[in-house]
Amino acid sequence: MNAQDLARSLTAAGSVKIPDGDGEGLYLLSVRDGDLVEKHWVGDSLQEETVVASEVREDTSASYLLISEQCIRHVVFVDQDNVVQCYAYDEDIEEWEDTPLGAQWNITVHPKGKLSANIGPRGELVVTYQDESGRLAGMMSVADNKWKTFGPFGGSPILGTPQCLEVIDDRLHLFYIEEDAGIGYLVFDSAGNWKANVLKNTNTETTIDNFSVAKDPETSDFQSYFISGGFLWTVNGEKQKIKLGKVTGDGKLIPADGAQAGWWFPWRRPRNYVINYNINFNVGDYGAWEPRKALPYYY
């Protein structure tokens, strides 16, 4: 992913990089007049816009999940009642449809709370959020149409700031903004516990608007990218922050210098695995489906 795509992704409510072989470009999500809108970008060209859902909270974050083989796409977001919802794309009618997952989860978040969702290392669907008290909590699938809640966690997440749920080294990592510390994270270990830590040198004088974290395949250090104060920054491992450029409101990156305009950023490759849950959507003509392989979402 190049620096411009990165900046555009981090100014969106949610995004996904389309896997090789399934197309090109990015799907970006934004809210417009209460509608959650999907925009397909290829380079600097906007290819298409599609309305995903209506009555969406104006400042919602959204997670975009791709399921391979069946060409299934899911979006998890917060509606105007602060309830977490999940919509799926119906290839037959070429429209986004509501799914029963929102009702099954029955998750209400804080009026300013954000969320994140991903597919875990064993194929479990995981959703994390700030609960009604502002604390971090979550839910994951454990069997057919069965769900397990976890949290609330300790720590001091800043209310209304983003979070990022990733699978790194086959373990769930929940990254969030810790008060007076920058990007904090919780790692889900084999014993079922979440262990807390902090990414050094990610504390900023201004609020972090959005961020993403990946693991550098060469150094095994965490590489963090974030927008704060209208600028795009990166921190590799424990090194100092590097300003990559200014980001406008529509996601346009103005590089800090000419060389950085051509930078490419390493992202983990999609992982294929068998999902261990079975969900019947029964949405109109969409019918029931049994997922076989999945791709985790990207920024």
Side-chain angles (χ1 to χ4, degrees), residues 52-63:
V52 175
S54 300
E55 298 183 0
V56 175
R57 202 181 73 189
E58 195 68 27
D59 64 344
T60 184
S61 56
S63 290

Side-chain angles (χ1 to χ4, degrees), residues 28-86:
L28 302 182
L29 298 168
S30 60
V31 180
R32 183 176 62 209
D33 299 327
D35 292 337
L36 186 64
V37 180
E38 173 198 67
K39 298 180 180 181
H40 180 198
W41 283 86
V42 177
D44 291 327
S45 176
L46 176 60
Q47 303 293 307
E48 186 179 14
E49 291 190 14
T50 305
V51 173
V52 175
S54 300
E55 298 183 0
V56 175
R57 202 181 73 189
E58 195 68 27
D59 64 344
T60 184
S61 56
S63 290
Y64 203 128
L65 306 174
L66 292 183
I67 309 296
S68 66
E69 290 189 348
Q70 299 94 344
C71 298
I72 294 172
R73 292 140 60 183
H74 295 78
V75 170
V76 182
F77 61 92
V78 180
D79 69 15
Q80 291 178 354
D81 293 323
N82 299 311
V83 176
V84 177
Q85 303 289 353
C86 178

Side-chain angles (χ1 to χ4, degrees), residues 50-203:
T50 305
V51 173
V52 175
S54 300
E55 298 183 0
V56 175
R57 202 181 73 189
E58 195 68 27
D59 64 344
T60 184
S61 56
S63 290
Y64 203 128
L65 306 174
L66 292 183
I67 309 296
S68 66
E69 290 189 348
Q70 299 94 344
C71 298
I72 294 172
R73 292 140 60 183
H74 295 78
V75 170
V76 182
F77 61 92
V78 180
D79 69 15
Q80 291 178 354
D81 293 323
N82 299 311
V83 176
V84 177
Q85 303 289 353
C86 178
Y87 275 51
Y89 186 72
D90 186 335
E91 291 283 350
D92 292 334
I93 63 174
E94 298 183 343
E95 291 183 0
W96 287 88
E97 296 286 317
D98 192 6
T99 76
L101 285 179
Q104 289 183 24
W105 295 336
N106 192 28
I107 298 172
T108 300
V109 304
H110 189 280
K112 295 183 179 179
K114 302 298 176 71
L115 60 73
S116 186
N118 208 339
I119 304 297
R122 291 172 296 281
E124 63 272 38
L125 175 58
V126 187
V127 180
T128 59
Y129 54 92
Q130 281 186 284
D131 66 15
E132 293 176 274
S133 66
R135 297 175 297 178
L136 292 171
M139 179 174 290
M140 68 172 65
S141 60
V142 293
D144 292 357
N145 291 308
K146 294 182 179 179
W147 304 88
K148 177 182 179 181
T149 59
F150 52 87
F153 301 116
S156 301
I158 299 177
L159 189 60
T161 54
Q163 53 188 269
C164 177
L165 188 62
E166 292 286 354
V167 178
I168 299 174
D169 296 333
D170 290 326
R171 291 189 295 175
L172 282 167
H173 288 61
L174 173 57
F175 297 93
Y176 66 98
I177 309 302
E178 174 76 14
E179 188 174 359
D180 298 325
I183 299 176
Y185 65 99
L186 297 157
V187 183
F188 191 57
D189 63 23
S190 58
N193 301 312
W194 292 84
K195 296 185 177 180
N197 212 325
V198 173
L199 295 182
K200 296 182 179 180
N201 295 325
T202 58
N203 201 10

Side-chain angles (χ1 to χ4, degrees), residues 17-20 22 66 68 267-273 294-298:
K17 183 180 183 300
I18 300 173
D20 295 339
D22 290 343
L66 292 183
S68 66
W267 298 94
R268 57 181 169 81
R269 295 182 178 181
R271 297 173 297 112
N272 289 340
Y273 40 74
L295 301 177
Y297 79 102
Y298 292 73

